Amino acid sequence: MPKDAFQSGPAPLPATPLIDLAIQLSERQPESSFQLARLAYVEARRRGDEAAQWAALAQQIPLAGFLGMNTWLAESAPEAVRLGRIYAPPRQLRRIHGILGIAYLCLGQLTQSAGQHEQACALAQQLDAAELAFALYNSSVGFNEFHRPERVLELGRDILALDLSGLPPSVQNKVCSYGHLTCAAGSAHLAEHALLSGHHPEVNSHARLGLVALSRLLQLPPITDNAAFQQRMLHVHVRLLEFMEPVEVQPVGGQAGRAGQDQGQADPLRQALERWRMWTDDHELRINPRTEHRWLCALGREAGLRGNPAGVHSYFQQALTLTQSIPFEDTAWLRLHSQYGHAARQVGDLATALAQLEAYNRLLFARLQHEARRTLEEMTARFQVAQAQQTSKVARRRADTLSELVQQREDALQSEQLHTLERLATVAEYRDQDSRAHMHWVGDAAACIARELGQPPEFVQTLQVAARLHDIGKIALPDAILQKVEHLTPTEFEIIKTHTFVGAEILEGPQHPFLPLAAAAARTHHERWDGGGYPLGLRGQAIPLVGRIVSVVDVYDALRAARPYKEAWTEADALNYLRQGAGTQFDPQVIYAFLTAHAAGRLPARKSVGGSVRRSA
């Protein structure tokens, strides 16, 4: 994109109530915020308002990245990039490309991921060195996944080579931190590749280069606003310490001289481990004993590299004690004995090193024995399975005939169950001629919405019949209240509320699997998403899906129908009422599914025109 494309600036984005509400909910309820923004996008697309479409997408894309909705991001990428080039500021569009690049990477679409990162870097080059550094850092994460450690190291050097003059000192420090960590990560991956390839001298060499990069990073102010950066720094440091081979540490001026030197000058790597340990405490990552075990081994290995015998024994003894208190994992024990032996040899404690090597060999031999025994057991089991399969062929042929008879009986029973539900629906329908049309439409519409939400066919088929029974409890209401034209008194309205409990009591029972779903619809179709409904005051996902679906289709049909006390609402007014209730009265996801089905013409045709369904009930 040419530079002059940014000189006039993007067009101002419109503010809508749905977008404003989505922004307010983005931190506390990201799922609801995403659904509201999605609803705003559908409405903007219906109006043909591309600026409003981008405003909705700009809210959705970061939330989708946070929620791991990589498939949705990949599907929305072409439209997001097209609109972003028109309406997004360059920095925002650069971040959008970065999010899309990570999404493609998670889906295994490496070519598309690389393309998004290239576009992000191209945009960043037209901004400033800081934006380019952040784009290069994101690309380095992707190359880690591509198993290209040499390219990661090259990107780290590119970041450090950027001209940062004119940038604030805090930004310069952040860019340098990103560059040093990228170099350290590339070195760690090169060390791992060398280890897997059997090039052991190169392992230590790459690990030392990585530790040098980390030492330079530790001289800069820490980055506290990026938890992912902190976690990656911790992981890279621990991996580099594990790759380091023990080397002899020459004392300076004898033991006393070395002790004085240690007291006078703190080891920056040791400070880093302690600082990251405190950061881990702050983020509650040490609640897992395995994380604490890895910490202790890393600190013990670091003490061995620095020639500190007391630290070696202290940390590894703590690790031994902790390992005994967690479920046995031979891999953890093997790593512990191996690293303890290396560290003990480093500080000259050959007796401990030999003891740890013997423990390592015993455990390794036991592991090999276990693997051999398990392999023998698997081969025996496979032989027995093959023998059993051969023996069961005759029995299977006999069972096929019995299975056909059972299936026929199950089909007949299911037909009887469906017939039972239809008869129960008739009980509630006989008191009001319009109730029949209303109940059948609610059942068909509920099935349509469930299908729109991606529910399995068995659920959709059952819901289509079960939803018709949502108001069956009204058979217990007095005619004077049910058919009253005037406004209900508070006492009468409390009586109306009881139809939820009554309906659930009628339908509950172990007779067949359809009734529990119908009972849930009867009990919860007047609950509200914000917890202000009745009879239980349930909130959000605590409301069963059947209740959330029936609530939407029931209210819509009641609004569109003429009643003795009101005229029928127009279609536009009824749809607007549903939109305004998303996130308060109704589940935003169900509202989105309803509006999508309505716009596509997939909802069943309505025939309900009158009756006694009361909107306040």
Side-chain angles (χ1 to χ4, degrees), residues 112-174:
Q112 293 85 340
S113 177
Q116 293 296 329
H117 285 303
E118 288 177 2
Q119 294 183 57
C121 291
L123 283 171
Q125 288 177 343
Q126 304 178 44
L127 297 170
D128 54 41
E131 287 292 325
L132 180 56
F134 302 149
L136 292 175
Y137 176 77
N138 288 335
S139 296
S140 74
V141 177
F143 279 111
N144 274 346
E145 299 294 337
F146 297 164
H147 304 291
R148 292 275 304 281
E150 68 285 347
R151 178 55 179 156
V152 176
L153 192 59
E154 181 182 344
L155 288 173
R157 292 167 179 167
D158 290 344
I159 295 174
L160 294 174
L162 292 173
D163 181 8
L164 305 179
S165 58
L167 295 176
S170 60
V171 177
Q172 293 184 23
N173 290 331
K174 190 171 185 178

Side-chain angles (χ1 to χ4, degrees), residues 11-27:
L13 297 180
T16 66
L18 284 176
I19 290 296
D20 292 341
L21 181 58
I23 294 174
Q24 295 174 13
L25 296 176
S26 59
E27 293 186 2

